[in-house]
Amino acid sequence: MKATVMTIALLLAGTAYAQTPPPPPAPNAARHMDDLATLLDLNDTQKAQVQSILQEQHAKMKASFEQAKASGTKPDWQQMKAQHEQLQQETLQKLAPVLSATQMKKFEIIQQSMHAHMGHHMAHGQAGATAPAPPQN
């Protein structure tokens, strides 16, 4: 269950956002959206709005990745992290008018858990990349 909760936000937007209507989400993405809707107690309207916002975030991240790939340059970890954090803040701003304060807090907790989970996998080479060692204080 913990792994599911931690990965929900990342896997929600399984399809790319485009000018044309997006194709239906992959079965796992739909299941994860259903899980998120249950965890946040979303009504049907909220579910559609949240899904759209998360798909948009996913599309922006994918476009950024594709742009970097096409340019032949590889952004460093700090650049990627800063860009990801900026997109996260944009997403939270877009979700704020859609979700109640309680739902927003739950979403942030899920998001934090997901990031911790992904960092753990990256640090152990399970995501196909390695993360830098945490700073020593």
Side-chain angles (χ1 to χ4, degrees):
M1 174 68 179
K2 186 175 180 181
T4 299
V5 171
M6 290 181 208
T7 59
I8 288 173
L10 180 63
L11 299 175
L12 290 176
T15 59
Y17 178 82
Q19 298 288 54
T20 59
N28 275 347
R31 183 178 62 86
H32 289 296
M33 186 63 218
D34 288 342
D35 290 346
L36 183 65
T38 299
L39 289 169
L40 298 180
D41 194 27
L42 300 177
N43 62 38
D44 290 340
T45 302
Q46 287 177 309
K47 183 177 174 182
Q49 291 171 323
V50 168
Q51 185 171 12
S52 176
I53 291 166
L54 293 177
Q55 284 177 333
E56 182 180 350
Q57 178 197 29
H58 176 77
K60 284 182 180 181
M61 284 193 284
K62 184 176 178 178
S64 174
F65 174 77
E66 293 296 329
Q67 181 181 10
K69 186 176 174 183
S71 72
T73 61
K74 184 176 180 181
D76 68 23
W77 177 256
Q78 292 300 326
Q79 290 172 322
M80 289 172 44
K81 183 178 177 183
Q83 186 173 21
H84 182 72
E85 287 174 359
Q86 179 183 353
L87 284 171
Q88 291 291 347
Q89 288 304 313
E90 288 175 17
T91 300
L92 291 175
Q93 289 173 352
K94 290 178 181 180
L95 288 172
V98 175
L99 302 177
S100 70
T102 302
Q103 290 170 320
M104 195 69 174
K105 184 66 178 169
K106 287 179 185 179
F107 181 83
E108 289 172 358
I109 291 169
I110 291 167
Q111 192 175 38
Q112 288 169 357
S113 296
M114 187 264 315
H115 284 118
H117 178 73
M118 291 303 293
H120 171 77
H121 281 291
M122 289 181 73
H124 291 87
Q126 297 170 347
T130 57
Q136 299 293 324
N137 292 341

